[in-house]
Amino acid sequence: GGPGLRPPPGCPQRCLGASERRDVQREILSVLGLPGRPRLRAAPSGPRLPASAPLFMLDLYHAMTGDDDKDDAPAERRLGRADLVMSFVNMVERDHALGQQEPHWKEFRFDLTQIPDGEAVTAAEFRIYKVPSIHLLNRTLHVSMFQVVQEQSNRESDLLFLDLQTLQAGDEVWLVLDVTAASDRWLLKRHKDLGLRLYVETEDGHSVDPGLAGLLGQRAPRSRQPFVVTFFRASPSPIRTPR
Amino acid sequence: AVRPLRRRQPKKTNELPQANRLPGIFDDVHGSHGRQVCRRHELYVSFQDLGWLDWVIAPQGYSAYYCEGECSFPLGSCMNATNHAILQSLVHLMKPDAVPKACCAPTKLSATSVLYYDNSNNVILRKHRNMVVKACGCH
């Protein structure tokens, strides 16, 4: 087999007949809750570096399975009692920067159509990688995140404030922005893309191009591309009551 | 004439067999009337063998269980190890002479997690609680 688990010694290895093979596959699909084999796009021609979302989710998987046998072990904070975690990578990115008038912003649109029914969002994060900025030395930056609630043709879009993080221009880090507040809307309108807009300002309020501040977008290496990760818990009423 | 002592019947209890109890001299491993008690076996299925690794990121494989012996509810695609053990134990309690003792009564159920791609290349981590029998009576 592959590099993974080895069958325990003494475990009899039988050659499965065709019908047994189908039975075992059916059992595996039902026990693991796998929805069946997706139609993945053509396999990559050569070996590809793993992308950021699968790398992050594999860490979560190890944290989650590490707790499988210890029911009372403290799960990693974000996992909490989540029994489903999804990362969204299908994204369209728009820049409102590079010389145009202020404020500069970067916008990301995620396709949320794959969210399963009957799941309640417990937490949602937008993760973007930041490299040290070579343009802004020793400056403190405020990174704020908004949800694009409604686009307007003749004026600025309707925005909903989600989160604000402060960091140094020289920091190199995965920046995690809490977008849980946006989850009510996307469950009601999952046919609409989730629009997230990101602004960067210096301490004295000047708008900065997010790219110049070191925030990487879709053109980053695969292992550092931005993504949204959402934690769900099965609930009879998937919509959180508005506060 | 001396009356033979009547052998006292063991008191019937409703407890599931203890996990760490191995067959002892009072346990008839071959069941009554020489039949063989059900015994669970593990068959490891590698997802690489199934060609699933471009879809399922983790785990690498799955331990499917099957059993040999006289089972009223044999393991199969519609009967996983947990249900098999519970049903077998209940029926054995009701008809100890007719149905052999279950070898794998659940003492500890654990979660099963799986990490995989969906149709849009999103990555999904799903956890099913109380799913898999990890400890059973015959180990």
Side-chain angles (χ1 to χ4, degrees):
Chain A
L5 291 175
R6 286 271 167 267
C11 174
Q13 288 296 321
R14 291 196 304 163
C15 292
L16 295 180
S19 68
E20 274 187 324
R21 192 179 173 82
R22 275 194 301 279
D23 282 350
V24 173
Q25 285 177 14
R26 245 199 313 275
E27 176 180 346
I28 293 172
L29 288 175
S30 74
V31 169
L32 294 181
L34 289 173
R37 196 170 175 62
R39 291 172 301 288
L40 292 180
R41 277 190 280 286
S45 54
R48 281 175 22 177
L49 273 181
S52 49
L55 281 174
F56 169 78
M57 297 291 274
L58 194 55
D59 282 346
L60 271 189
Y61 169 83
H62 291 311
M64 193 179 263
T65 43
D67 292 335
D68 277 359
D69 290 341
K70 301 184 287 307
D71 282 343
D72 54 1
E76 195 181 321
R77 185 188 65 79
R78 279 159 301 179
L79 280 172
R81 297 295 296 163
D83 40 25
L84 174 68
V85 184
M86 285 186 77
S87 66
F88 299 90
V89 294
N90 284 318
M91 183 179 66
V92 172
E93 187 178 314
R94 284 188 349 183
D95 273 312
H96 184 262
L98 301 177
Q100 291 174 26
Q101 77 281 7
E102 293 188 9
H104 305 292
W105 47 261
K106 190 187 273 283
E107 188 169 295
F108 304 87
R109 296 196 157 268
F110 289 90
D111 165 18
L112 300 181
T113 52
Q114 299 289 323
I115 291 183
D117 288 337
E119 299 279 348
V121 174
T122 55
E125 299 168 346
F126 173 72
R127 293 175 152 259
I128 185 166
Y129 196 80
K130 179 189 175 308
V131 293
S133 166
I134 52 177
H135 303 283
L136 305 158
L137 297 180
N138 302 325
R139 302 291 293 274
T140 299
L141 301 177
H142 298 299
V143 178
S144 48
M145 172 131 274
F146 294 83
Q147 178 185 8
V148 179
V149 175
Q150 188 64 46
E151 285 197 289
Q152 306 293 346
S153 54
N154 54 0
R155 61 178 177 75
E156 177 58 79
S157 302
D158 298 341
L159 302 177
L160 167 72
F161 171 74
L162 294 175
D163 195 5
L164 169 68
Q165 299 278 342
T166 301
L167 67 172
Q168 301 302 308
D171 288 352
E172 177 157 6
V173 69
W174 268 105
L175 185 60
V176 180
L177 292 145
D178 188 342
V179 297
T180 309
S183 60
D184 285 348
R185 292 178 191 282
W186 69 34
L187 283 182
L188 291 174
K189 297 180 182 171
R190 74 185 62 211
H191 60 285
K192 276 191 66 182
D193 284 345
L194 166 65
L196 295 175
R197 189 176 288 183
L198 201 147
Y199 290 89
V200 180
E201 284 182 347
T202 57
E203 272 198 299
D204 46 13
H206 278 103
S207 173
V208 174
D209 171 353
L212 296 183
L215 292 171
L216 302 183
Q218 243 178 349
R219 284 184 292 279
R222 279 173 50 80
S223 59
R224 293 182 174 176
Q225 288 175 358
F227 59 95
V228 164
V229 61
T230 305
F231 301 83
F232 295 89
R233 180 142 185 84
S235 120
S237 58
I239 299 172
R240 279 188 319 143
T241 50
R243 277 194 285 281
Chain B
V2 173
R3 224 163 22 106
L5 280 180
R6 274 171 31 59
R7 285 187 59 207
R8 274 188 331 116
Q9 289 294 323
K11 193 166 62 63
K12 291 202 183 316
T13 65
N14 283 332
E15 280 179 30
L16 285 177
Q18 290 308 309
N20 53 6
R21 246 180 96 237
L22 288 174
I25 55 174
F26 294 108
D27 292 338
D28 178 352
V29 175
H30 292 287
S32 51
H33 314 305
R35 286 179 302 170
Q36 186 172 4
V37 173
C38 109
R39 181 171 287 278
R40 184 184 84 157
H41 295 269
E42 185 175 345
L43 174 67
Y44 180 75
V45 177
S46 153
F47 287 156
Q48 185 161 9
D49 292 352
L50 288 175
W52 283 11
L53 281 189
D54 60 343
W55 162 35
V56 177
I57 303 172
Q60 295 291 300
Y62 171 74
S63 292
Y65 299 100
Y66 69 94
C67 63
E68 278 174 348
E70 300 257 347
C71 305
S72 304
F73 305 96
L75 284 171
S77 59
C78 56
M79 176 70 73
N80 66 30
T82 306
N83 298 342
H84 158 75
I86 291 171
L87 279 174
Q88 191 85 356
S89 302
L90 284 175
V91 176
H92 170 71
L93 282 176
M94 288 185 288
K95 293 191 284 182
D97 296 332
V99 174
K101 177 183 295 187
C103 71
C104 46
T107 54
K108 187 166 177 22
L109 295 178
S110 294
T112 299
S113 304
V114 62
L115 185 66
Y116 61 98
Y117 288 103
D118 72 1
N119 281 335
S120 308
N121 260 349
N122 298 318
V123 180
I124 295 178
L125 173 59
R126 189 181 288 273
K127 180 170 190 171
H128 300 272
R129 302 175 192 282
N130 301 325
M131 282 297 286
V132 177
V133 174
K134 277 287 172 89
C136 79
C138 48
H139 299 292

